[in-house]
């Protein structure tokens, strides 16, 4: 019987597999950021050991950074300390840092791919659940906790049990105004926020294959929101085209050799998955979430379920969630007023997202009273946007183009959504308080978010494109 | 946080809510510490305190009748962010065991790496625990790692739970993954040397 791509990659990275023990899996690239690494470096210090393979470790500062006036010291003392500690730790242990002010700085899951550090066939980890993003290149990539960060720093390996395999096939073609973000929100709404727990997902099918690399990253990024360990997509010409020529990508003879290897990376025809799910792209409309986990999503023209439609033991959590959101069970969202629009995060802050939004808002202006933030995923995205004149389009439309960072994706830095306000957001989590204490989040695609900025309310973007 | 344990009898704190994500367990704005200590005071911060920092009386952790080293919570506990701070906060607040009918993967690993035992039971057994605590807040639970069992002492109801043998040994003996991985140094170097594509 054939093998899945996941199993091929896993098997080729197992250093030791012993009955009764988790596999020791070799890690090709380890990304670190300021929030989940200080205690890991501390652990190394206590044990008196170095970082085992410094060249396979890259660091950036993203979660705590402000997105305006980045040249000034970070105002909040604890945030500043955490970012400074990353600088001290990486210097002491000899790890490359793309810190604040560095031309490569940005959200860790944006910079890896754009710098050509993320490559097919790799194993990649980071102390951050959205590490699944890198799976879009045909890599095994997943988020880990700080104790595991310490393991990888110390040994370049991680102890893991092999997850089960799930295939998610999306066939057919997407309709106009529907983006890859809608595909993944749709899948999660169908299988729930825990529907893929214990699995590693491979995405396949015509609708996936026809997506750009950036759109594929959006899908893999949110694999964790259905509980999956990670998600991957077999590499193809679109992948190779994206990687070629990037800063750290292989060059010359190395490129040819790598390419020949990458072309072997696919699931065998007769390989078996533990579970296969199939969806039709034509069934997907622009999606929006109404609740406080990413599984609580509906097509923008549909209605929130009623309490009666919920299973008995889910009713309490459902009510709590809608109360938090200030929404009525059974109601629709179209026309609901929004206060903030956030276009950014490792899900949708790449140059393609910015281009798409710019093209849509060109010649339009945001609605009165709406605050519209565009936060590029990296310094390079920011620079590219300026080079293309996209910044001017945003300015004319009343959108604020800020500096790179995680920003309002999580209420950790200065960018927070005020209590009780509604934010339509291109990020990946709508948990209670995620964007700031008592902030209310609608997750949606960049186009849907941009449409809401223009009209000031939840809008079916298909009517505007 | 003591490192190893084998057996525990304790009352429990019930939070009968599903899909509790790690942003609730410890909100992002409290992740700025650079040590592992002190997270307990912000455990479930926004469910425990209102916006004026007044304790919310109806939340279980503020209810003095609930105490103990066991946290019992609804399905899909610990989903969302991979922050190990969630496990640190739970441990720092004095919990050694979390019982639920389903755990998110990363949380489960993080808990075990901090010597907190995730005990996964069926939906029915979880309901049973909630309803017994409802009837009597002094309901005691007995957890035995060696036997992999959890028992409601007052009713005698018992369930088995899974834990992989390696992690079980780690918990009982108080040793961790790094100790084990460091002992594989030679194997790791041999692996590196043998890879054509070691990027
Ligand atoms: S953008 Fe949001 S989800 Fe992505 S790494 Fe930053 S905080 Fe995490």
């Amino acid at each position: 019987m054939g093998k899945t791509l996941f199993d091929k990659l896993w098997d080729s990275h197992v250093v030791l597999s012993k009955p009764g023990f988790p596999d020791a899996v070799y890690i090709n690239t380890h990304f670190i950021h300021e929030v989940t690494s200080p205690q890991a470096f501390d652990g190394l210090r206590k044990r008196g050991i170095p970082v085992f393979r410094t060249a396979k470790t890259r660091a950036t500062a993203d979660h705590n950074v402000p997105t305006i006036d980045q040249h000034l010291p970070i105002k909040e003392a604890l945030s500043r300390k955490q970012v400074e500690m990353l600088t001290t730790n990486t210097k002491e242990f000899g790890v490359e840092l793309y810190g604040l002010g560095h031309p490569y700085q940005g959200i860790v899951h944006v910079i890896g791919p754009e710098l050509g550090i993320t490559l097919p066939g790799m194993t990649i980890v980071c102390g951050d659940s959205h590490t699944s993003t890198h799976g879009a290149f045909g890599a095994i990539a997943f988020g880990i906790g700080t104790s595991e960060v310490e393991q990888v720093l110390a040994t370049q390996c991680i102890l893991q049990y092999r997850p089960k395999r799930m295939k998610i096939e999306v066939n057919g073609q997407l309709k106009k105004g529907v983006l890859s973000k809608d595909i993944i929100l749709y899948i999660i709404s169908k299988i729930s926020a825990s529907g893929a727990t214990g699995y590693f997902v491979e995405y396949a099918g015509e609708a996936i294959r026809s997506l750009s690399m950036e759109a594929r990253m959006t899908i893999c990024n949110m694999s964790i929101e259905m509980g999956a360990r990670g998600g991957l997509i077999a590499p193809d010409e679109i992948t190779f085209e994206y990687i070629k020529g990037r800063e750290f990508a292989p060059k010359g003879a190395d490129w040819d050799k790598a390419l020949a290897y990458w072309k072997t990376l696919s699931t065998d025809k007769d390989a078996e998955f533990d579970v296969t799910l199939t969806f039709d792209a034509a069934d997907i409309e622009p999606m929006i979430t109404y609740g406080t986990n990413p599984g609580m999503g509906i097509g923008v023209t549909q209605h929130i379920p009623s309490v009666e439609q919920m299973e008995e033991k889910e009713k309490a959590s459902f009510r709590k969630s809608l109360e938090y959101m200030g929404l009525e069970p059974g109601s629709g969202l179209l026309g609901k007023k929004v206060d903030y629009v956030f276009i950014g995060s490792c899900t949708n802050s790449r140059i393609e997202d910015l281009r798409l939004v710019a093209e849509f808002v060109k010649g339009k202006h945001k609605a009165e009273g709406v605050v519209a933030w565009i936060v590029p995923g990296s310094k390079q995205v920011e620079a590219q946007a300026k080079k293309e004149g996209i910044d001017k389009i945003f300015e004319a439309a009343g959108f604020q183009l800020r500096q790179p960072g995680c920003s309002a994706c999580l209420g950790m830095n200065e960018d927070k959504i005020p209590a009780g306000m509604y934010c339509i957001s291109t990020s990946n989590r709508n948990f209670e308080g995620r964007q700031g204490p008592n902030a209310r989040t609608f997750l949606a695609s960049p186009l849907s978010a941009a449409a809401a900025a223009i009209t000031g309310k939840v809008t079916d973007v298909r009517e505007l494109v | 946080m003591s490192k190893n344990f084998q057996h525990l009898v304790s009352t429990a704190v019930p939070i009968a809510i599903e899909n509790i994500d790690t942003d609730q367990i410890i909100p992002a704005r409290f992740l700025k510490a650079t040590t592992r200590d002190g997270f307990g005071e912000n455990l479930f911060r926004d469910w425990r305190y209102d916006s004026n920092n007044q304790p919310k009386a109806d939340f279980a952790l503020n209810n003095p009748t609930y105490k103990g080293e066991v946290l019992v919570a609804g399905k899909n506990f610990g989903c969302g962010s991979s922050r190990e701070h969630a496990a640190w906060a739970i441990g720092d607040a004095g919990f050694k065991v979390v019982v639920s009918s389903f755990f998110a993967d990363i949380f489960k690993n993080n808990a075990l790496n901090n010597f907190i035992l995730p005990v996964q039971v069926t939906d029915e057994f979880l309901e049973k625990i909630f309803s017994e605590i409802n009837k009597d807040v002094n309901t005691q639970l007995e957890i035995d790692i060696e036997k992999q069992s959890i028992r409601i002492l007052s009713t005698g109801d018992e369930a088995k739970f899974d834990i992989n043998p390696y992690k079980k040994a780690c918990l009982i003996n108080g040793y961790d993954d790094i100790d084990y991985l460091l002992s594989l140094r030679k194997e790791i170097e041999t692996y590196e040397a043998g890879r054509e594509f070691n990027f």
Side-chain angles (χ1 to χ4, degrees):
Chain A
M1 197 180 63
K3 269 179 159 185
T4 66
L5 173 55
F6 175 81
D7 286 308
K8 289 181 190 178
L9 294 178
W10 184 278
D11 291 341
S12 68
H13 286 84
V14 169
V15 170
L16 186 71
S17 186
K18 225 165 55 168
F21 284 78
D23 289 347
V25 178
Y26 193 83
I27 298 303
N28 297 117
T29 295
H30 183 196
F31 292 109
I32 58 180
H33 62 76
E34 78 276 18
V35 183
T36 55
S37 65
Q39 295 87 350
F41 281 112
D42 236 19
L44 296 186
R45 240 175 247 123
K46 281 194 189 122
R47 288 171 200 262
I49 53 178
V51 171
F52 182 55
R53 294 290 179 247
T54 47
K56 295 181 188 297
T57 316
R58 315 272 179 137
T60 190
D62 51 9
H63 286 62
N64 275 289
V65 305
T67 59
I68 39 173
D69 293 335
Q70 284 186 346
H71 60 288
L72 299 176
I74 301 175
K75 282 191 221 124
E76 223 261 325
L78 288 174
S79 290
R80 192 171 64 239
K81 186 169 163 219
Q82 214 170 45
V83 171
E84 284 169 1
M85 189 153 275
L86 183 69
T87 310
T88 326
N89 282 333
T90 48
K91 205 182 255 166
E92 179 184 336
F93 286 89
V95 169
E96 177 110 332
L97 168 67
Y98 308 135
L100 261 190
H102 194 287
Y104 294 164
Q105 180 266 335
I107 305 173
V108 62
H109 311 307
V110 174
I111 68 170
E114 81 183 358
L115 289 170
I117 299 170
T118 298
L119 298 173
M122 279 187 162
T123 45
I124 300 170
V125 293
C126 173
D128 192 287
S129 53
H130 294 98
T131 309
S132 58
T133 312
H134 309 261
F137 290 79
I140 292 185
F142 55 90
I144 58 178
T146 298
S147 296
E148 295 170 317
V149 170
E150 190 182 334
Q151 283 177 39
V152 180
L153 289 175
T155 67
Q156 206 58 35
C157 288
I158 190 163
L159 285 181
Q160 289 285 303
Y161 286 91
R162 186 191 295 250
K164 289 178 283 183
R165 310 145 204 87
M166 178 185 283
K167 177 156 98 169
I168 296 185
E169 227 174 57
V170 187
N171 297 316
Q173 281 166 11
L174 286 177
K175 295 210 169 118
K176 201 169 166 195
V178 180
L179 305 182
S180 73
K181 179 64 165 283
D182 298 306
I183 299 183
I184 190 66
L185 284 173
Y186 177 82
I187 295 172
I188 303 169
S189 78
K190 293 291 175 200
I191 74 170
S192 92
S194 59
T197 304
Y199 292 89
F200 209 100
V201 176
E202 178 172 348
Y203 299 96
E206 184 193 351
I208 303 288
R209 287 254 81 89
S210 57
L211 297 172
S212 69
M213 278 320 291
E214 310 213 339
R216 291 179 189 183
M217 284 187 245
T218 302
I219 297 213
C220 289
N221 173 277
M222 288 192 75
S223 305
I224 181 72
E225 305 312 334
M226 50 192 178
R229 204 71 185 88
L232 56 72
I233 297 172
D236 56 15
E237 288 306 323
I238 295 177
T239 320
F240 309 143
E241 191 52 42
Y242 177 95
I243 299 168
K244 198 164 187 183
R246 287 185 186 266
E247 184 72 29
F248 296 102
K251 310 262 158 35
D254 285 345
W255 170 262
D256 297 336
K257 212 169 105 187
L259 191 62
Y261 167 57
W262 295 342
K263 286 185 172 168
T264 68
L265 297 178
S266 60
T267 290
D268 295 330
K269 286 215 169 55
D270 56 344
E272 276 180 25
F273 289 85
D274 297 290
V275 175
T276 298
L277 303 175
T278 309
F279 298 98
D280 188 345
D283 294 339
I284 305 175
E285 61 170 329
M287 295 288 296
I288 187 160
T289 63
Y290 59 86
T292 54
N293 75 57
M296 302 173 85
I298 48 177
V300 68
T301 60
Q302 291 163 14
H303 283 226
I304 298 170
S306 62
V307 179
E308 294 70 49
Q309 281 169 279
M310 292 285 133
E311 274 185 48
E312 200 49 45
K313 58 182 172 46
E314 288 174 351
K315 284 182 180 166
S317 304
F318 179 74
R319 278 205 196 91
K320 181 177 187 302
S321 176
L322 286 198
E323 210 167 282
Y324 180 87
M325 290 297 293
L327 297 171
E328 283 302 315
S331 66
L333 285 179
L334 272 182
K336 176 91 198 161
K337 183 175 164 296
V338 300
D339 308 292
Y340 277 73
V341 175
F342 172 58
I343 296 173
S345 91
C346 57
T347 316
N348 285 115
S349 65
R350 298 181 176 82
I351 189 66
E352 188 177 284
D353 299 307
L354 268 57
R355 282 185 191 133
L356 197 77
V357 171
E359 196 191 330
F360 175 80
V361 303
K362 193 171 187 171
K364 302 187 179 82
H365 198 276
K366 78 170 177 70
E368 185 113 18
V370 171
V371 176
W373 286 343
I374 308 234
V375 184
S378 70
K379 285 308 264 186
Q380 298 214 80
V381 171
E382 183 189 27
Q384 184 65 27
K386 288 189 173 153
K387 199 167 125 197
E388 294 177 17
I390 287 177
D391 56 330
K392 297 281 171 334
I393 298 176
F394 289 143
E395 203 186 308
F399 286 58
Q400 246 189 72
L401 179 65
R402 299 170 74 95
Q403 289 173 302
C406 293
S407 186
C409 174
L410 94 169
M412 182 160 194
N413 51 69
E414 292 164 16
D415 303 349
K416 293 187 182 68
I417 308 303
M421 299 261 172
Y422 288 95
C423 176
I424 187 162
S425 174
T426 67
S427 55
N428 42 48
R429 286 186 173 144
N430 50 357
F431 299 149
E432 284 185 33
R434 172 77 182 183
Q435 297 193 289
N438 289 309
R440 292 156 162 170
T441 306
F442 298 131
L443 299 178
S445 79
L447 267 186
S448 295
I454 301 301
T455 61
K457 48 198 187 206
V458 174
T459 302
D460 184 349
V461 66
R462 288 171 298 185
E463 289 167 7
L464 301 177
V465 288
Chain B
M1 199 182 320
S2 83
K3 281 189 108 179
N4 56 325
F5 78 94
Q6 309 187 1
H7 180 259
L8 182 75
V9 176
S10 170
T11 51
V13 180
I15 305 181
I17 295 169
E18 299 192 342
N19 296 312
I20 295 179
D21 58 80
T22 52
D23 272 81
Q24 306 318 312
I25 299 172
I26 182 89
R29 60 188 190 282
F30 300 114
L31 304 186
K32 301 183 189 193
T34 47
T35 67
R36 292 179 190 232
D37 312 316
F39 288 101
E41 67 184 86
N42 294 315
L43 176 66
F44 290 112
R45 178 76 200 196
D46 294 336
W47 288 359
R48 257 162 101 181
Y49 298 95
D50 65 19
S51 40
N52 299 317
N53 273 331
Q54 295 306 308
K56 298 184 189 174
D58 57 351
F59 187 60
L61 286 183
N62 292 332
N63 183 340
T65 56
Y66 294 128
K67 39 186 170 300
E69 296 172 305
V70 182
L71 182 68
V72 187
K75 192 171 82 184
N76 199 24
F77 186 81
C79 57
S81 156
S82 59
R83 59 188 70 163
E84 194 163 318
H85 312 65
W88 298 337
I90 289 171
D92 193 49
F95 294 107
K96 289 186 164 161
V97 175
V98 183
V99 182
S100 177
S101 56
F102 199 80
F103 288 95
D105 279 338
I106 304 183
F107 176 79
K108 206 193 287 180
N109 284 349
N110 287 342
L112 286 166
N113 282 337
N114 288 280
F115 303 94
I116 295 165
L117 178 67
V119 171
Q120 186 162 324
V121 296
T122 60
D123 284 330
E124 293 69 41
F125 197 83
L126 187 69
E127 277 313 308
K128 182 92 199 158
I129 299 177
F130 280 136
S131 79
E132 288 307 316
I133 297 176
N134 232 338
K135 279 188 243 162
D136 176 7
V137 293
N138 294 316
T139 298
Q140 292 206 313
L141 301 175
E142 178 181 26
I143 291 108
D144 189 315
I145 298 200
E146 190 53 59
K147 288 200 261 167
Q148 301 182 208
S149 69
I150 173 166
R151 214 151 67 90
I152 307 174
L153 283 190
S154 54
T155 65
D157 285 288
E158 187 177 290
K160 293 281 178 197
F161 60 84
D162 276 343
I163 175 168
N164 63 64
Y166 166 78
K167 273 295 170 195
K168 182 172 169 178
C170 284
L171 270 185
I172 292 175
N173 300 310
Y175 54 65
D176 66 19
D177 288 355
I178 299 186
D179 299 329
Y180 173 64
L181 277 174
L182 285 172
S183 76
L184 300 183
R185 184 65 173 262
K186 236 182 59 219
E187 283 86 347
I188 296 170
E189 283 174 349
T190 309
Y191 171 86
E192 285 180 326
R195 278 282 283 176
E196 192 184 351
F197 275 96
N198 200 7
F199 299 99

